[in-house]
Amino acid sequence: MKVDLHCHTDASDGVLTPLDLLSRARANSVDLLAITDHDTVKGLQSLTKLDTGSIRLINGIEFSCHWQNKEIHVVGLNFELEEPKLIKFIQSQQELRKQRAIRIGEKLEKIGYMDTYSAACINGKTESPGRPHFAEALVQMGVVSNQKKAFHRLLGDGKSGHCKHEWPNVSEIIQRIHAAGGKTVLAHPSRYTISDRQLEQMISDFADLGGDAIEVISGRQNPLVTQKLAKLSVGHQLSASVGSDFHRPGQPWADLGCCVPLPSQCTSIWADWIA
Ligand code: AMP
Ligand code: MN
Ligand code: MN
Ligand code: MN
């Protein structure tokens, strides 16, 4: 079975529309798919009335939150899409994103790059654009030659256009997803800039707070990393998830639905959903 439980549409910082993403999933023979846009379910909502054929679509979202004052991402899966408290909370995350984006625009203005907030809004088709939409604006303005450089020079952690942000704590995210009937997955554990000891602490805390799974497979990763994460998931009695973190065709890490299978010792987060 081909599973991909982490990807993005143009409802956040992906480039494909939800319909085009589904077509790509079909072309890549995906059986189980979760669309997990950053702090929004808008893409997903546009598909609720659609017959997705052989693809089983799982409700998903990727929440921005804090663990020990570090920004981390938690994927929520298989929650009730219409749950009023969750919908309201997602609106508050969008408002936080908007306030952050305005501040990023102000910071960039101070160092001479004007009107990036409005350009980012146009790029993201939203008032709450993400950093990739600012990166795109900086490329369009000729400030940098590509988005990676925009993050490296201006938008990455600690750079002059970066805003430290007051995201909710990871515990709140776990509680809110559970209250809407969903499961919680620590996203791309190996992508945070932390030591191995901190990584183990993060996973241990996530388990203690009631988190359900970690992404043992994220995009294309070193098999040694996969082994390490499989061991941590088993050791902390967490289930395991798989996600490409697909944003756009041609991205260097993994195409939609094109991840390696979970190591055999892992318990998949989706085992109960397909029974
Ligand atoms: P945001 O959610 O607005 O904080 O933006 C984070 C998103 O930016 C991530 O989900 C990635 O899609 C993208 N991103 C993060 N770091 C980089 C980077 N170094 N180069 C390009 N894109 C990045
Ligand atoms: Mn992203
Ligand atoms: Mn992420
Ligand atoms: Mn993602």
Side-chain angles (χ1 to χ4, degrees):
M1 199 170 80
K2 253 192 171 184
V3 178
D4 195 335
L5 300 177
H6 187 152
C7 64
H8 297 268
T9 72
D10 66 355
S12 65
D13 58 3
V15 304
L16 298 185
T17 64
L19 275 179
D20 287 343
L21 187 97
L22 265 187
S23 301
R24 196 173 186 90
R26 196 163 293 118
N28 290 356
S29 310
V30 176
D31 302 292
L32 192 66
L33 178 75
I35 293 174
T36 55
D37 278 308
H38 296 286
D39 302 296
T40 181
V41 287
K42 212 170 67 189
L44 200 55
Q45 280 166 334
S46 71
L47 297 175
T48 46
K49 293 200 173 70
L50 195 86
D51 176 8
T52 56
S54 62
I55 299 176
R56 169 104 183 263
L57 193 62
I58 300 287
N59 293 337
I61 190 164
E62 182 175 15
F63 277 121
S64 314
C65 58
H66 271 152
W67 170 77
Q68 291 196 355
N69 222 19
K70 275 187 177 296
E71 184 171 325
I72 67 164
H73 288 170
V74 169
V75 166
L77 294 173
N78 213 20
F79 49 84
E80 224 182 284
L81 196 53
E82 306 297 332
E83 210 277 314
K85 281 189 181 151
L86 190 69
I87 296 290
K88 212 166 154 210
F89 178 66
I90 291 169
Q91 283 164 0
S92 73
Q93 286 285 96
Q94 283 298 312
E95 184 56 31
L96 283 182
R97 281 193 158 266
K98 180 177 172 183
Q99 295 311 324
R100 181 188 70 151
I102 291 170
R103 294 216 321 270
I104 292 174
E106 287 167 357
K107 283 195 145 193
L108 290 172
E109 197 152 321
K110 272 198 187 129
I111 51 175
Y113 306 123
M114 312 306 279
D115 298 326
T116 54
Y117 173 67
S118 46
C121 288
I122 292 168
N123 292 337
K125 297 184 279 320
T126 171
E127 287 181 359
S128 343
R131 282 183 286 166
H133 303 124
F134 280 92
E136 199 180 337
L138 291 163
V139 173
Q140 288 159 347
M141 291 159 68
V143 177
V144 284
S145 55
N146 61 50
Q147 289 199 25
K148 206 174 163 172
K149 285 186 183 157
F151 272 86
H152 187 70
R153 267 188 49 196
L154 294 160
L155 299 167
D157 286 11
K159 305 293 159 128
S160 44
H162 179 255
C163 275
K164 188 95 186 87
H165 202 67
E166 291 308 310
W167 299 114
N169 271 323
V170 58
S171 56
E172 179 177 351
I173 299 294
I174 292 171
Q175 282 167 25
R176 288 189 180 276
I177 297 169
H178 283 168
K183 298 285 185 196
T184 52
V185 183
L186 179 65
H188 41 66
S190 74
R191 289 229 311 268
Y192 306 112
T193 42
I194 54 177
S195 67
D196 272 5
R197 246 186 73 200
Q198 283 176 305
L199 177 64
E200 169 134 31
Q201 188 62 54
M202 179 192 283
I203 290 171
S204 166
D205 287 356
F206 190 72
D208 290 346
L209 292 168
D212 301 288
I214 64 172
E215 282 180 351
V216 168
I217 308 282
S218 171
R220 191 187 306 129
Q221 73 193 11
N222 184 322
L224 291 173
V225 172
T226 303
Q227 268 178 33
K228 178 171 81 181
L229 293 174
K231 203 170 157 200
L232 284 167
S233 76
V234 172
H236 292 280
Q237 292 167 311
L238 290 161
S239 302
S241 189
V242 172
S244 61
D245 206 0
F246 176 81
H247 282 69
R248 67 189 62 82
Q251 71 183 20
W253 53 97
D255 199 346
L256 188 64
C258 296
C259 289
V260 297
L262 278 180
S264 57
Q265 70 268 39
C266 293
T267 306
S268 75
I269 182 85
W270 63 86
D272 298 343
W273 307 339
I274 56 169

